Amino acid sequence: MDGKTLTIDDPKIAFEPLAADHFILLHKWIQEPHVWQWWGEGKSWTLDEITAKYNSYTLRYKIDRGIKKAIHPFIINFQGQPIGFIQFYNAFDFPRDDGFDVQEIWDRKNESLAALDFYIGEPAYIGKGLGSQVLRFFLQTQVFKQYDACLVDPEKNNKIALKTYSKAGFSTVKDLPSIIIMVARKIEQRKPIVIFGSSRSDGDTLQAIKAVIKDLSVPIIDLKNLNIAHYDYNYENKHDDFMAIAEKMVQHNPIILATPVYWYTMSALMKTFIDRWSDLLDTRKDIGRRLSHKELFVIACYETSLPRGFEDAFSQTCDYLDMQYKGCLYFYSGEDPELAKDNESSAKQFSDRIFYSKENLE
Ligand SMILES: Cc1cc2nc3c(=O)[nH]c(=O)nc-3n(C[C@H](O)[C@H](O)[C@H](O)COP(=O)(O)O)c2cc1C
């Protein structure tokens, strides 16, 4: 089984706790015009001043009005290269100079609120849409491990920051004269799994899957590499690979079925797999029961035309098993550029529905 499960599990983004030998990078970046404009405080910084400011940060605190407050600063690495700086802290720990009181927008006694600041310092990495990816990954892997929500306060005329934060899931909660206060909320951790049923393991359907899951860590079960027999009324096939996949599948939610369109419907590999769900209503009811309420998404790769009624089998199977059918992404693999042009944006929207809750997108 193990060798047959492919995991895209290699995020290119990593966060390295700030250390003294990073000061030289911070000094270099603050001199970049696109950083200095927002972080420079109107002066030119020496390395000694950077060292004085960030020394205590390497010990994870900052002195504010004589009191030690916790702070969590990191260097952002992308494909092994340091490209920027990011930090988070308790939003209530640092009273603001502009008189805005965080309490005004956060009276939820039981929910904690962090704040974060960040910049991409390396000019070669700006304007590539990396910022929102970095933020999403940082919220998931750092901030939301300790806090329920996170605040940012971009300046109103920093249009790039506003766009980046909103792409990362932040929504405006207060519009002040010169800044906007935005908040992103922690969301239920999703644990998707892809069941992949194409007659070729490296074909168009795999490209569609990759467009949806990008570099997020999601197991992909390739049915082509497995031995899954047709449904058998006498369960003579009970020792093939099906039950191991079923056991794995019930540990995940949502379930994503990815199939090419072959003769107006799902592939035979996928159909054989779904036929075997009948085993879960009989010999392994314990597993079948655990499918109930799970979300099911479908990725369908097609070349000629959208097949009529393609989704009926999936949505009715969900009705029967008390699962929630969440829709299908039709990914075009043909040569018409007009039809291909929406693939990436549709895959991105579909991905947001799989990985992020609705509340966080609105
Ligand atoms: C046996 C077979 C039947 C197909 N039937 C259809 C079809 O009914 N409608 C369609 O749009 N494309 C059809 N196609 C094209 C495939 O859906 C398309 O090439 C798809 O991208 C293949 O994905 P794959 O590389 O994962 O196999 C068919 C391809 C094959 C091999």
Side-chain angles (χ1 to χ4, degrees):
M1 257 293 296
D2 267 6
K4 294 167 183 167
T5 307
L6 166 70
T7 304
I8 295 194
D9 188 13
D10 182 24
K12 298 175 191 71
I13 301 163
F15 303 106
E16 192 183 340
L18 184 73
D21 53 9
H22 295 131
F23 292 164
I24 199 137
L25 278 173
L26 297 186
H27 184 232
K28 183 179 100 171
W29 290 334
I30 203 142
Q31 295 169 71
E32 294 290 348
H34 72 277
V35 178
W36 187 84
Q37 186 182 5
W38 309 108
W39 287 72
E41 298 171 20
K43 64 177 195 173
S44 94
W45 290 74
T46 63
L47 183 57
D48 282 349
E49 285 168 325
I50 290 285
T51 305
K53 174 167 172 158
Y54 289 100
N55 231 343
S56 77
Y57 286 43
T58 64
L59 303 170
R60 311 289 165 255
Y61 72 86
K62 176 179 177 176
I63 303 280
D64 179 70
R65 291 152 232 230
I67 304 169
K68 260 188 182 182
K69 307 274 177 72
I71 194 154
H72 309 279
F74 299 84
I75 294 294
I76 304 160
N77 284 317
F78 180 69
Q79 294 177 325
Q81 296 298 315
I83 63 159
F85 175 74
I86 192 160
Q87 61 184 10
F88 74 98
Y89 42 87
N90 187 325
F92 294 94
D93 265 357
F94 300 97
R96 307 166 57 97
D97 301 331
D98 57 8
F100 170 68
D101 182 358
V102 179
Q103 212 80 44
E104 260 183 57
I105 53 111
W106 205 256
D107 55 1
R108 298 153 208 265
K109 304 255 176 317
N110 301 325
E111 287 181 274
S112 54
L113 180 68
L116 75 72
D117 319 291
F118 98 113
Y119 61 76
I120 290 185
E122 287 298 331
Y125 292 85
I126 58 178
K128 297 189 185 308
L130 246 182
S132 55
Q133 282 182 52
V134 165
L135 285 166
R136 276 193 153 147
F137 198 54
F138 189 68
L139 289 172
Q140 257 181 51
T141 58
Q142 304 288 337
V143 183
F144 291 152
K145 294 233 156 106
Q146 292 183 41
Y147 288 90
D148 299 312
C150 184
L151 170 153
V152 288
D153 58 354
E155 299 211 16
K156 252 184 183 165
N157 51 357
N158 190 350
K159 300 286 179 229
I160 295 175
L162 290 170
K163 201 166 147 207
T164 305
Y165 286 128
S166 115
K167 258 176 89 183
F170 287 86
S171 311
T172 300
V173 291
K174 182 104 188 165
D175 190 339
L176 294 166
S178 62
I179 59 167
I180 304 269
I181 304 286
M182 303 174 90
V183 167
R185 294 173 170 287
K186 181 171 168 171
I187 47 173
E188 174 215 344
Q189 277 303 314
R190 314 272 284 166
K191 211 177 155 201
I193 187 168
V194 177
I195 315 277
F196 167 38
S198 167
S199 287
R200 47 182 182 182
S201 295
D202 57 352
D204 301 327
T205 309
L206 184 68
Q207 295 316 310
I209 295 170
K210 286 183 172 169
V212 170
I213 68 177
K214 300 281 181 206
D215 49 12
L216 293 163
S217 171
V218 178
I220 301 174
I221 307 289
D222 184 352
L223 297 177
K224 184 165 192 294
N225 290 334
L226 297 166
N227 171 28
I228 297 183
H230 294 161
Y231 176 72
D232 184 310
Y233 281 93
N234 299 316
Y235 307 112
E236 306 256 323
N237 51 20
K238 64 179 177 234
H239 296 299
D240 71 7
D241 288 335
F242 174 72
M243 235 16 117
I245 302 301
E247 274 168 2
K248 194 165 170 61
M249 189 170 76
V250 293
Q251 289 162 20
H252 289 262
N253 190 25
I255 293 163
I256 305 160
L257 300 180
T259 174
V261 175
Y262 289 162
W263 290 105
Y264 310 100
T265 186
M266 70 185 88
S267 67
L269 271 171
M270 185 60 76
K271 180 67 169 69
T272 303
F273 175 69
I274 294 180
D275 282 358
R276 293 293 299 279
W277 292 12
S278 303
D279 296 13
L280 308 177
L281 302 175
D282 199 348
T283 57
R284 291 297 305 271
K285 287 189 181 125
D286 56 317
I287 298 182
R289 275 193 290 272
R290 291 174 63 200
L291 282 177
S292 108
H293 304 304
K294 285 194 190 291
E295 293 180 12
L296 185 90
F297 289 83
V298 174
I299 297 174
C301 200
Y302 77 103
E303 192 178 340
T304 332
S305 59
L306 284 181
R308 281 194 302 276
F310 179 81
E311 291 174 66
D312 291 354
F314 298 102
S315 65
Q316 290 175 74
T317 299
C318 284
D319 290 346
Y320 192 82
L321 295 173
D322 201 18
M323 293 171 74
Q324 303 176 57
Y325 182 62
K326 303 300 265 186
C328 178
L329 169 72
Y330 291 99
F331 197 88
Y332 175 70
S333 64
E335 288 181 357
D336 183 340
E338 196 47 38
L339 291 173
K341 77 175 184 348
D342 293 332
N343 271 349
E344 284 304 317
S345 61
S346 314
K348 164 82 177 58
Q349 277 173 25
F350 199 70
S351 169
D352 282 343
R353 292 186 43 223
I354 292 171
F355 290 99
Y356 303 102
S357 77
K358 210 163 159 268
E359 299 84 74
N360 212 39
L361 294 172
E362 285 174 350

